[in-house]
Amino acid sequence: MRRRSKRPLNTSESTGKIGQELPSNQQAPLVPSYADVAPAAPPPREQRPAAQERRPRAHEAVRPDWSEPGNAGRLEVETQPEIPSVPPAEAVAADRSPQAPRGYVVLAIGLPGSGKTTWFRRRGVTPLSSDLLRNILFDDVEEQRYQGLVFSTLRSLLRARLIARMPWNYVDATNLSVHERRQWIKMAKSFGYEVQAVFFDVPLEVCLERNSQRDRSVSEDIMRKMAEKLKPPVFEEGFEKITVVRVKSAV
């Protein structure tokens, strides 16, 4: 009798049920194809802004130094709870330079319980999210049988917004790995959009505590596996701006 091989637990939000075995009969998510956009040639080294010279390189530490000076590129640090902010108003077409991006795609990056949903709510932003789509498609935010369909639809919705030239576009997902973020970045850049990251640099223990108080919680074992998989964003991925959100230190 043929023995069924045990499949690894799934810790990717975008490919299947978190914490459960990937079903062998589940179809792979639909992955749209985008023509590669040739990157603009970088200016000569002596002409590059000093801020770019200080950006972390791929061969350096995986976790960037979030405490570097504020003038070291487009890097911002916030604390929770933070003052609500509003995205800047879209520039009038006549005032936009030819080099200006068509708009912005902002990826949230962080563990469950790190404060992503709260960050969007405080700004009055309704992001593209898997929970939103589950409510729309299945009338049930806890429906987990069609994760591939949910995330392929999520990508299609973002693509529709980019075609419509919507200026600000937010994606609420864990986006733990470079691989999971690559498709969003590639799509945005193919439409001429700037990509930004909001990284929730929140300690695992804080996320575990918040997660335990939720009605729909993720098991501690899976949370720890997700934490091991989490890779902080770096500029080399294609981000033009990285905002780091941290928990306010106890006095």
Side-chain angles (χ1 to χ4, degrees):
M1 189 171 178
R2 198 171 187 180
R3 187 174 182 180
R4 181 185 174 188
S5 61
K6 182 170 179 61
R7 297 175 179 272
L9 291 178
N10 179 30
T11 57
S12 173
E13 181 184 38
S14 63
T15 56
K17 302 179 184 180
I18 296 178
Q20 300 186 25
E21 291 185 16
L22 290 173
S24 58
N25 61 346
Q26 176 173 303
Q27 295 183 356
L30 299 176
V31 180
S33 175
Y34 307 100
D36 290 332
V37 179
R45 185 175 183 84
E46 62 274 9
Q47 296 181 12
R48 294 182 186 177
Q52 292 187 10
E53 298 295 334
R54 298 179 59 88
R55 288 181 175 179
R57 300 301 177 188
H59 63 272
E60 294 180 356
V62 173
R63 190 183 186 88
D65 181 5
W66 300 118
S67 298
E68 58 185 291
N71 63 352
R74 298 177 63 191
L75 181 65
E76 297 182 0
V77 179
E78 298 179 1
T79 56
Q80 300 176 347
E82 65 283 348
I83 300 175
S85 62
V86 180
E90 181 183 9
V92 179
D95 298 333
R96 294 174 59 85
S97 68
Q99 293 77 26
R102 288 186 177 181
Y104 306 87
V105 173
V106 182
L107 300 184
I109 300 169
L111 296 171
S114 60
K116 299 186 299 297
T117 302
T118 301
W119 189 89
F120 286 118
R121 186 185 302 123
R122 290 176 65 86
R123 285 157 177 75
V125 171
T126 301
L128 297 176
S129 73
S130 55
D131 284 350
L132 173 66
L133 273 185
R134 290 187 191 98
N135 266 331
I136 293 174
L137 296 175
F138 315 116
D139 300 324
D140 184 1
V141 72
E142 297 187 16
E143 175 59 70
Q144 296 287 326
R145 290 176 297 174
Y146 307 102
Q147 289 289 74
L149 175 61
V150 167
F151 277 87
S152 63
T153 304
L154 202 62
R155 288 189 289 271
S156 296
L157 285 177
L158 176 60
R159 185 174 187 274
R161 288 183 61 87
L162 301 184
I163 292 174
R165 298 194 177 188
M166 300 303 292
W168 285 92
N169 306 273
Y170 297 85
V171 178
D172 181 9
T174 54
N175 291 314
L176 300 177
S177 68
V178 174
H179 173 74
E180 292 174 12
R181 302 190 284 258
R182 186 175 297 134
Q183 287 189 10
W184 300 110
I185 296 171
K186 187 174 182 180
M187 182 195 299
K189 288 187 174 295
S190 71
F191 281 89
Y193 276 65
E194 177 179 300
V195 189
Q196 302 180 2
V198 181
F199 173 47
F200 292 80
D201 187 21
V202 178
L204 173 60
E205 298 308 316
V206 174
C207 295
L208 287 171
E209 174 62 26
R210 293 174 178 176
N211 178 69
S212 66
Q213 299 174 10
R214 291 178 167 182
D215 294 333
R216 297 182 299 112
S217 62
V218 181
S219 71
E220 180 175 338
D221 181 57
I222 296 301
M223 286 281 288
R224 294 189 180 278
K225 290 182 182 300
M226 294 177 75
E228 293 175 0
K229 185 179 178 182
L230 175 61
K231 300 296 182 184
V234 293
F235 291 107
E236 284 71 21
E237 293 180 61
F239 296 113
E240 296 295 329
K241 176 182 176 182
I242 297 175
T243 300
V244 184
V245 181
R246 290 177 174 149
V247 178
K248 186 175 182 180
S249 301
V251 180

